[in-house]
Amino acid sequence: MKIKLKNMGIVSSILSLLVGCGSSTSQDVDTTPPVLQTTIKDTKNVVMHSSLWKFDGNVTDNNAIKKLVLELNDKSSEIEIKDGNFSVSTALRAGNNSFKLIAKDQSDNNATISGNIYLGHTTAAGGSHSGAIHNGALYTWGRNNYGQTGLEYTSKLDDNSSVHPIAPTKILTPSLNPLVSLSFNQNYSIAIDETGSVWSWGDNKNGELGRGASTDTCGSSSIEPDCILTIGQVDGLSDIVSISAGYSHTLALRNDGTVWAFGTNGDGELGNGDTNDSSVPVQVIWNENVNIVQVSAGSDFSCAIDNQGALWAWGKNNYGQLGQGIKGGDDQLTPIRVPFPNGVEIASIATGKGHLLALDTNGTVYGWGLNASSQVGYYGYQYKGTDDAWESYILAPTVVIPATHDNPVIEVFANGNSSYIFRADKKIYPWGQYGETDEAGKTKYANLDIPEDKLNTITSVKDVAAGALHLVAVKEDGSVFTWRWSFEGSLGGGESTVDAWMYNYPIIPVFQE
């Protein structure tokens, strides 16, 4: 039987559909991007104090993944993927680091995670002086008896011959490049610019500025030259990614993982094998091949973390701060490994006058060393004198805060006889030496056993700088605030807080452009 087809257009369309359904030559166009997931928690307000940035992740797609690329600053590298999983371990430079993680499938569909990570501190707190990098400029305030604020003169509150900086004062620096990280302690100041050059000024009695012998006489009772008033570059240091000012010595970390030190060395805190002070940088000597990613200088001891998460310490051990299970003994003139349980990987460290805090990759906080003010823990107003109290010296790393998924600890800070943690809720929790002023204006002092929420109204904190008795912090919106003891304008609040001694509530310093 013959069928006459009147409308060949319809037939043609039907045949095309049939061919499309059964033909192997027609392919659907893949427009679905890969699914990219990482352990990166924040991409906008991340501040790190270790130069090693590590994260894990996985990438999946309905088609095969062509490649995974990490663009960090001006470099690009391809990341290995195994069964959809990957792990990244890379080095950061001082200051801002921009990154972009790009997953591309066979159809060239992209999935991207991008953001910024900041290595270093944009605020600083010393013995009683403070600083901040604000809108690209350096501002300082507070005590200036050794020229530590960078004004090129010394001053006191009652000195009528010069202006004492009781509020943020803009400082002109000789660096042609912007400063990106600060470290102040006691009566001197250190900074890094974006090229990795180091700049210093202030007290130099022990060579802690790294610029050779002092050229100025300053200080209230000085007879010999003991400070440098002008901000100047530390010769012989380049490609520095991190610095740490101790009480009278300084540590500097290069991008090649080597550590350089200068200042007092009577207890071996420079780690170069002898006890001779050095006013110029000397290299810290390890007894094995290591790559260091973070350094921290205490009063007369030093510590560092390597890229495997091992912690090293050297210098004086009068409080058990070297973590070897003993107190006293010979000074340690080169770094020695601090023992931790198998599998513990240290991610960050902080040093006080005679104690240390260490945060591992799981969020556990360890502490050891001097504990007379409960700066390690459990020796304060609730525990001291009880059967559950810890000793006044903790001689080996001891768990202070166990890891938790509920508001985990993400950073540790310390100075003097006080300690601080920074939790995922972006708030700061202090313990150890602490004081509060009551409604009558009387200051009461109490050693806190464990971290307490003393600043419950302050949230969205980005980074903290801990001084001996006061703190300077920056919030995610870039605003700076200060609190605790005020001396010679260390809080930067002007006349109202110039010598208040104890100030509970955060002060917002005013930055004049």
Side-chain angles (χ1 to χ4, degrees):
M1 180 175 67
K2 295 181 180 180
I3 299 175
K4 188 175 182 180
L5 301 177
K6 295 182 178 180
N7 193 332
M8 294 303 296
I10 296 176
V11 173
S12 178
S13 297
I14 295 172
L15 290 174
S16 296
L17 287 172
L18 292 173
V19 171
C21 290
S23 171
S24 60
T25 60
S26 176
Q27 296 182 355
D28 294 332
V29 177
D30 179 14
T31 60
T32 304
V35 176
L36 179 59
Q37 297 178 312
T38 72
T39 53
I40 301 172
K41 301 299 183 183
D42 193 348
T43 60
K44 295 181 180 179
N45 289 293
V46 181
V47 174
M48 291 189 63
H49 305 128
S50 166
S51 65
L52 179 64
W53 183 37
K54 298 175 69 175
F55 64 91
D56 300 320
N58 61 79
V59 57
T60 58
D61 190 72
N62 56 6
N63 205 340
I65 298 296
K66 181 186 291 187
K67 62 180 177 179
L68 178 65
V69 174
L70 175 64
E71 296 177 357
L72 179 64
N73 300 321
D74 55 353
K75 295 182 180 180
S76 179
S77 57
E78 190 165 344
I79 307 301
E80 181 182 2
I81 306 171
K82 186 175 182 180
D83 298 327
N85 300 312
F86 60 88
S87 181
V88 176
S89 179
T90 189
L92 301 173
R93 67 187 182 191
N96 189 59
N97 295 261
S98 60
F99 74 90
K100 184 181 292 185
L101 187 66
I102 308 167
K104 181 175 290 189
D105 66 14
Q106 295 296 329
S107 299
D108 288 332
N109 298 306
N110 292 345
T112 302
I113 296 176
S114 61
N116 297 279
I117 294 180
Y118 204 95
L119 174 61
H121 290 281
T122 58
T123 61
S128 293
H129 73 297
S130 307
I133 299 171
H134 182 74
N135 291 336
L138 173 65
Y139 288 79
T140 64
W141 60 94
R143 198 176 191 196
N144 192 40
N145 57 326
Y146 285 91
Q148 57 264 50
T149 62
L151 289 171
E152 298 191 359
Y153 59 78
T154 61
S155 61
K156 297 183 293 184
L157 283 177
D158 56 358
D159 189 351
N160 296 323
S161 63
S162 59
V163 177
H164 185 75
I166 59 177
T169 304
K170 192 172 185 177
I171 305 297
L172 296 178
T173 70
S175 174
L176 299 177
N177 302 287
L179 300 182
V180 295
S181 187
L182 305 174
S183 184
F184 294 2
N185 211 337
Q186 297 306 99
N187 298 313
Y188 76 104
S189 308
I190 305 285
I192 310 175
D193 70 23
E194 66 178 6
T195 69
S197 296
V198 177
W199 303 80
S200 63
W201 62 99
D203 188 6
N204 194 43
K205 290 191 300 295
N206 302 286
E208 54 264 61
L209 298 187
R211 295 167 55 191
S214 300
T215 58
D216 299 304
T217 300
C218 58
S220 58
S221 60
S222 297
I223 298 176
E224 299 296 330
D226 56 14
C227 77
I228 302 179
L229 295 178
T230 57
I231 298 174
Q233 187 172 347
V234 179
D235 292 333
L237 288 182
S238 61
D239 299 319
I240 299 301
V241 297
S242 181
I243 47 174
S244 179
Y247 278 46
S248 55
H249 75 291
T250 304
L251 302 178
L253 172 64
R254 286 191 65 186
N255 63 2
D256 61 0
T258 60
V259 179
W260 300 78
F262 39 96
T264 188
N265 194 33
D267 299 297
E269 50 265 65
L270 299 190
N272 66 332
D274 62 41
T275 56
N276 300 318
D277 296 351
S278 180
S279 61
V280 294
V282 295
Q283 187 170 356
V284 178
I285 300 172
W286 264 263
N287 58 11
E288 59 184 90
N289 187 28
V290 297
N291 187 313
I292 299 303
V293 298
Q294 187 183 358
V295 292
S296 188
S299 58
D300 40 25
F301 66 98
S302 305
C303 62
I305 307 172
D306 67 27
N307 62 350
Q308 301 302 309
L311 177 57
W312 303 79
W314 61 98
K316 199 169 186 177
N317 193 45
N318 56 324
Y319 303 128
Q321 57 266 54
L322 301 188
Q324 303 300 308
I326 60 171
K327 179 169 68 74
D330 294 337
D331 294 332
Q332 184 65 38
L333 306 186
T334 57
I336 186 172
R337 190 189 294 261
V338 178
F340 283 87
N342 290 335
V344 172
E345 184 178 344
I346 301 303
S348 190
I349 49 175
T351 51
K353 179 182 179 182
H355 75 289
L356 294 91
L357 302 176
L359 174 68
D360 75 10
T361 53
N362 293 321
T364 302
V365 176
Y366 298 81
W368 64 100
L370 181 63
N371 194 37
S373 299
S374 193
Q375 57 265 56
V376 176
Y378 298 98
Y379 197 67
Y381 71 100
Q382 296 182 85
Y383 277 79
K384 188 175 181 179
T386 72
D387 292 339
D388 295 324
W390 287 9
E391 299 295 328
S392 57
Y393 302 99
I394 306 299
L395 305 182
T398 303
V399 174
V400 182
I401 307 168
T404 175
H405 292 291
D406 181 21
N407 199 19
V409 177
I410 58 177
E411 190 55 275
V412 290
F413 304 91
N415 203 341
N417 296 320
S418 301
S419 301
Y420 310 86
I421 56 171
F422 184 40
R423 290 190 179 272
D425 62 3
K426 302 298 180 70
K427 294 174 63 176
I428 306 159
Y429 298 79
W431 77 102
Q433 187 181 68
Y434 200 80
E436 294 180 287
T437 304
D438 61 22
E439 295 179 353
K442 183 178 180 180
T443 301
K444 298 180 179 180
Y445 301 94
N447 295 326
L448 308 181
D449 292 280
I450 57 176
E452 295 190 21
D453 189 2
K454 292 293 186 179
L455 288 173
N456 50 31
T457 61
I458 298 298
T459 60
S460 302
V461 177
K462 185 176 181 179
D463 193 25
V464 180
L469 295 171
H470 74 291
L471 294 96
V472 183
V474 60
K475 298 184 69 172
E476 291 179 336
D477 63 4
S479 60
V480 174
F481 64 96
T482 63
W483 78 100
R484 290 196 69 191
W485 283 273
S486 174
F487 181 63
E488 293 205 10
S490 58
L491 299 187
E495 292 289 347
S496 63
T497 61
V498 69
D499 238 351
W501 189 236
M502 179 63 204
Y503 207 91
N504 290 341
Y505 301 101
I507 295 170
I508 310 298
V510 177
F511 291 81
Q512 300 289 345
E513 298 298 334

